[in-house]
Amino acid sequence: MKDSLQTALPAHENSSYPLRQKFNPKQIIESLPADATPAQQDSAIQAMLPPRPTVRSTRPDTLNLPGWQIPSAKSTLSVQGIRYDENFFSTSPYYHAETNIRPTGMDADPLPYLLRHDDWVTGILLCCFLVVMTIFANSKKFIKQRLQDFFLNRMDKEKLFSIETGREMRHAVFLYMQSGLLVSLFFFDYTQTTWDLFMSPVSSHTLLGIYVLICWTYLGFKQLFYTFVNWIFFDKERRSTWLKSYSFLISAEGVLLFPLALITVFFNLPTHDVILCLCLLLGFIRLLLFYKTFCIFFPKIHGFFHLIMYFCALEMLPLCGLWQALTYTNDILL
């Protein structure tokens, strides 16, 4: 390349003359033939680079490790003689600079909040299981009597409807609250599928607590609405019969939802299967409630239209209101 560069320079100039002049890449490129490749141009510039003396610092090195002797700045050590694999651990028999160590495995993804990993949720479900088992153990005769009262439909015999004791009332209230708690767990599982809760500004416990309060408020207000409407249109005997049947159905709903909640929380049941099972279960309970309402309040066929209005106004509309309240809560908090 030097020979081609020197032949390309003007003939009246000495061949070594460009080497003594000031380094000028433009003149070097212009002196090359027109068909010179970029690699040839680069080689010509590299060949014409002026020598640059290596000036090493005379200041002491404060970054070396103790016990590692670094040659002084005045020694004639060329850059080519430096071995970059020599360090403080070079004399150790366990140091192998030739081994290329790469991290194994794969990058970890942050896990979202899961109900089955929450000790509080597990503890609450365990308490619910123990209480439900206690209720079944201590109230077998009462539950059997209520089943007979529900399906026999003999309102003329007061002995079919025994007076509830304080313990049985507490059991019914607990199962009411358990129904609201389990429905809130189902909706939280649905929210985890449809929303990204990993970067949510609201903690999972707070969100779940809000769902529980909304479900309990829904059950309380619906009970008040039922009581108010029945007090206006129906007599005391029918109201008492319907209230006991309704209380039994809601309690049964809380018991039947519990196995589904356990499968959803601990066995990661797909969301669409949870929704299907929940709709079937709630639909079955509503059909029984529709049947009992027809038998108590509208036993004649001409009252079927009033039954539809009664059932839609006091059962279906509150359900739609519950769904709207839960989804609106998600829109605000998430």
Side-chain angles (χ1 to χ4, degrees):
M1 181 57 65
K2 289 184 178 180
D3 297 338
S4 62
L5 176 61
Q6 292 174 359
T7 56
L9 293 175
H12 65 278
E13 296 182 353
N14 190 0
S15 60
S16 62
Y17 179 72
L19 297 175
R20 301 293 181 266
Q21 287 186 348
K22 185 178 180 181
F23 179 70
N24 193 330
K26 182 176 181 297
Q27 293 181 359
I28 296 174
I29 297 299
E30 291 177 352
S31 63
L32 294 176
D35 57 348
T37 63
Q40 293 174 342
Q41 295 175 359
D42 180 71
S43 299
I45 292 178
Q46 294 291 337
M48 303 300 289
L49 282 173
R52 296 183 180 180
T54 302
V55 180
R56 301 186 65 180
S57 175
T58 58
R59 303 184 64 181
D61 187 6
T62 59
L63 300 179
N64 62 316
L65 293 175
W68 185 24
Q69 298 297 330
I70 300 180
S72 62
K74 297 180 180 180
S75 62
T76 58
L77 180 64
S78 62
V79 178
Q80 289 78 8
I82 298 178
R83 291 177 56 86
Y84 293 98
D85 58 347
E86 293 182 356
N87 51 50
F88 180 75
F89 304 98
S90 300
T91 57
S92 174
Y94 305 105
Y95 177 73
H96 299 279
E98 71 279 1
T99 304
N100 186 13
I101 300 177
R102 295 181 179 179
T104 59
M106 58 186 300
D107 294 337
D109 295 329
L111 291 177
Y113 172 82
L114 298 176
L115 289 172
R116 61 177 176 270
H117 295 164
D118 194 331
D119 296 337
W120 285 97
V121 174
T122 303
I124 291 173
L125 292 177
L126 179 60
C127 292
C128 292
F129 174 77
L130 295 177
V131 174
V132 169
M133 291 297 101
T134 303
I135 292 174
F136 274 107
N138 298 331
S139 305
K140 291 181 181 179
K141 293 181 62 177
F142 178 76
I143 295 173
K144 182 180 178 180
Q145 184 66 43
R146 280 299 176 86
L147 279 172
Q148 294 176 356
D149 295 344
F150 186 85
F151 290 103
L152 289 178
N153 296 322
R154 290 180 293 181
M155 294 189 305
D156 54 336
K157 297 182 179 181
E158 292 187 8
K159 64 179 181 179
L160 292 176
F161 298 96
S162 58
I163 301 176
E164 294 181 347
T165 63
R167 184 181 62 181
E168 293 162 352
M169 288 295 296
R170 289 194 297 270
H171 291 170
V173 171
F174 174 81
L175 293 176
Y176 261 57
M177 298 179 67
Q178 179 175 293
S179 299
L181 173 64
L182 298 180
V183 171
S184 64
L185 288 177
F186 291 130
F187 189 78
F188 185 86
D189 181 75
Y190 168 79
T191 303
Q192 279 191 310
T193 306
T194 55
W195 294 75
D196 185 12
L197 299 183
F198 184 72
M199 299 299 293
S200 172
V202 182
S203 67
S204 300
H205 288 166
T206 303
L207 190 62
L208 184 58
I210 293 174
Y211 292 161
V212 173
L213 290 178
I214 291 176
C215 292
W216 285 348
T217 304
Y218 155 76
L219 291 175
F221 274 106
K222 193 174 73 167
Q223 181 73 33
L224 291 177
F225 291 153
Y226 266 121
T227 304
F228 178 72
V229 173
N230 293 343
W231 175 73
I232 294 177
F233 294 102
F234 306 108
D235 55 59
K236 182 178 180 180
E237 181 181 356
R238 293 178 183 271
R239 293 200 308 267
S240 177
T241 304
W242 183 90
L243 181 61
K244 294 177 181 179
S245 300
Y246 179 77
S247 174
F248 173 76
L249 280 179
I250 298 300
S251 302
E253 182 180 82
V255 174
L256 295 177
L257 287 176
F258 188 72
L260 180 61
L262 292 179
I263 297 174
T264 302
V265 172
F266 295 106
F267 294 95
N268 198 21
L269 190 66
T271 305
H272 59 275
D273 293 340
V274 175
I275 295 175
L276 177 61
C277 295
L278 189 62
C279 290
L280 291 176
L281 184 57
L282 295 181
F284 175 72
I285 296 296
R286 267 57 191 178
L287 283 178
L288 291 179
L289 183 62
F290 185 85
Y291 161 77
K292 198 62 181 178
T293 305
F294 175 77
C295 294
I296 296 176
F297 294 142
F298 307 97
K300 304 292 182 62
I301 192 65
H302 59 77
F304 191 76
F305 177 73
H306 297 89
L307 171 63
I308 296 297
M309 294 182 60
Y310 174 87
F311 193 78
C312 290
L314 297 179
E315 192 63 36
M316 304 310 297
L317 288 182
L319 272 178
C320 296
L322 174 63
W323 175 260
Q324 290 295 328
L326 293 173
T327 54
Y328 187 66
T329 302
N330 284 347
D331 294 336
I332 294 177
L333 299 179
L334 305 180

